Amino acid sequence: MRRTLVLTAAAALAVPAVAAGAGGSIPLSPCATPGQPRAAEAGALARLVNATRAAAGRRPLRFTRGLTRMAARRSLTQVAAGRMSHGRGLGWAPRGRMAGENLALAPDPATAMQVMLQSPAHRALLLSRAWRQAGVGAVRTCDGTVYTVGFLR
C-alpha cells in the first residue's frame, strides 16, 4: 500500500536564534518592494546542507531543478503572505512519497544552517537517512532571507 507521509519542522528564526513551536508561524514585516529570489544564497545553503550531512556520515542529497523551483515558490509564497509557516501539508510532495520541509529566516545561509542545527526538529530532518533529493529556495525580504529546504525520498 502506498501512502504519503509528510514531515515538517517548525520554522526557525535566526535573530533571535529561536525556533517557533510546531504548527506556529512567524510574521514577516511588510516591505515596500516584493521579495527577490536569491539563487546564489540558495546554492550556498544547499552546499552547507551536504557538507553538514557529510560531517555526520550521511550521504549527500541530490538537489534537483524541480525541488529547487518548488522551494523557491514556497519562499516567495511566504514572503507574499507576510507570514512564514508550513500551513496544511506540502502540496508539492508526489503521492506515495515521503517529504519534509525546513523553513528559516536568517540574514545569510550560514546563519540559517546554524539556527536549523540548533533546533532538534530541523536537525533531525537535515540529517535523516530517508532523504534522497532536495531543493533550496531563498527569497530576500525586509526581515532577512526566507529559506525553504524541501526534502524528498
Side-chain angles (χ1 to χ4, degrees):
M1 170 193 285
R2 292 182 58 163
R3 61 187 172 103
T4 302
L5 175 59
V6 177
L7 304 173
T8 62
L13 182 63
V15 181
V18 297
S25 68
I26 296 172
L28 301 171
S29 300
C31 286
T33 58
Q36 298 297 314
R38 302 287 193 191
E41 291 181 41
L45 184 54
R47 288 186 295 279
L48 287 171
V49 166
N50 273 341
T52 301
R53 288 178 62 83
R58 305 296 192 272
R59 77 169 147 237
L61 298 172
R62 185 169 60 91
F63 288 88
T64 68
R65 251 189 293 199
L67 287 174
T68 297
R69 280 194 304 266
M70 174 283 308
R73 278 194 307 270
R74 289 281 291 148
S75 288
L76 278 168
T77 300
Q78 306 286 321
V79 170
R83 184 159 294 284
M84 206 171 74
S85 67
H86 293 291
R88 302 178 99 192
L90 305 177
W92 56 266
R95 186 174 189 161
R97 300 282 298 271
M98 190 163 118
E101 176 182 74
N102 275 352
L103 299 174
L105 175 64
D108 55 68
T111 304
M113 177 58 72
Q114 179 184 30
V115 172
M116 284 191 270
L117 290 173
Q118 291 171 355
S119 161
H122 286 88
R123 184 180 188 85
L125 277 177
L126 284 168
L127 299 178
S128 174
R129 295 179 192 274
W131 312 126
R132 304 285 185 268
Q133 301 173 22
V136 177
V139 174
R140 187 90 175 119
T141 184
C142 292
D143 296 320
T145 299
V146 173
Y147 294 95
T148 300
V149 183
F151 304 97
L152 192 62
R153 178 161 50 172

